[in-house]
């Protein structure tokens, strides 16, 4: 699957989850927030440049420019802080067949939205996992499997 097909797949998932046509030419808040999720994923997981994202939206009938793309990308964490559905959708989309590098990129962006006390907890968890992997590299795979299984 090429990058355009991947972006289309993500867009379709966002449409299904939100019930919104994210390419509709409107500035209503819910549409802006849903589009920002697509932009976030295109930029961070599919490695699209701003101009490529702009072109992608224009080709699908949405009036867009690179400044609007940049604004949506920079405000993504604010949108999801106030609209918890955005984070739910992000988790649903990124937990489906997403490569490790793409997940790493999303994790790094998610860290920016955490409170300082959550950062401290995360730091301790990562340190423990790192120490465990150094001591027994095969044991970490078991832990990863436990984390994935509900």
């Amino acid at each position: 699957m090429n990058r355009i097909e991947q972006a289309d797949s993500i867009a379709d998932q966002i449409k299904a989850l939100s019930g919104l046509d994210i390419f509709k030419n409107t500035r209503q808040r819910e549409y802006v927030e849903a589009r920002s999720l697509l932009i976030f994923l295109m930029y961070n997981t599919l490695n699209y440049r701003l101009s490529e994202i702009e072109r992608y939206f224009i080709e699908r009938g949405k009036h867009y420019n690179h400044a609007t793309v940049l604004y949506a990308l920079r405000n993504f964490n604010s949108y999801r802080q106030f609209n918890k559905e955005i984070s739910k959708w992000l988790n649903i989309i990124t937990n489906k067949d997403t490569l490790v590098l793409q997940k790493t990129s999303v994790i790094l962006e998610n860290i920016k939205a955490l409170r300082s006390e959550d950062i401290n907890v995360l730091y301790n968890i990562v340190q423990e996992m790192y120490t465990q992997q150094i001591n027994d590299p095969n044991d970490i795979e078991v832990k990863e499997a436990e984390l994935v299984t509900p």
Side-chain angles (χ1 to χ4, degrees):
M1 183 182 298
N2 66 36
R3 283 189 331 154
I4 293 174
E5 290 170 343
Q6 289 176 312
D8 286 339
S9 174
I10 293 169
D12 290 342
Q13 290 176 62
I14 293 170
K15 286 179 184 180
L17 291 167
S18 67
L20 302 171
D21 176 6
I22 58 175
F23 301 111
K24 181 178 179 182
N25 283 306
T26 180
R27 294 183 194 169
Q28 292 177 345
R29 182 184 50 82
E30 58 268 13
Y31 288 86
V32 170
E33 292 171 349
R35 279 193 292 265
S36 75
L37 174 57
L38 175 58
I39 291 166
F40 172 82
L41 289 168
M42 289 175 74
Y43 187 81
N44 289 296
T45 65
L46 302 178
N47 298 318
Y48 271 77
R49 294 188 322 258
L50 299 179
S51 60
E52 292 173 317
I53 297 171
E54 170 191 2
R55 193 169 33 257
Y56 176 84
F57 275 87
I58 291 171
E59 287 172 359
R60 280 146 188 82
K62 174 70 183 115
H63 302 296
Y64 237 54
N65 62 49
H66 76 283
T68 308
V69 173
L70 182 59
Y71 184 84
L73 190 58
R74 287 186 175 166
N75 286 291
F76 175 74
N77 283 324
S78 294
Y79 295 149
R80 72 185 208 172
Q81 181 179 8
F82 294 104
N83 182 349
K84 299 304 179 192
E85 293 298 310
I86 300 291
S87 289
K88 288 179 189 175
W89 300 338
L90 176 63
N91 288 333
I92 290 168
I93 293 168
T94 56
N95 284 326
K96 292 182 181 176
D97 302 326
T98 305
L99 300 174
V100 171
L101 289 176
Q102 294 170 333
K103 285 184 178 179
T104 301
S105 181
V106 171
I107 288 168
L108 292 173
E109 283 301 314
N110 285 343
I111 288 171
K112 294 177 184 177
L114 295 178
R115 300 175 305 207
S116 59
E117 57 268 16
D118 295 331
I119 295 285
N120 292 332
V121 171
L122 181 61
Y123 176 81
N124 292 333
I125 292 169
V126 170
Q127 283 301 110
E128 181 181 323
M129 290 175 75
Y130 177 75
T131 303
Q132 186 175 20
Q133 183 173 357
I134 289 191
N135 293 333
D136 187 3
N138 295 324
D139 191 41
I140 195 71
E141 293 174 8
V142 173
K143 290 284 185 189
E144 288 175 353
E146 292 171 4
L147 289 174
V148 172
T149 315

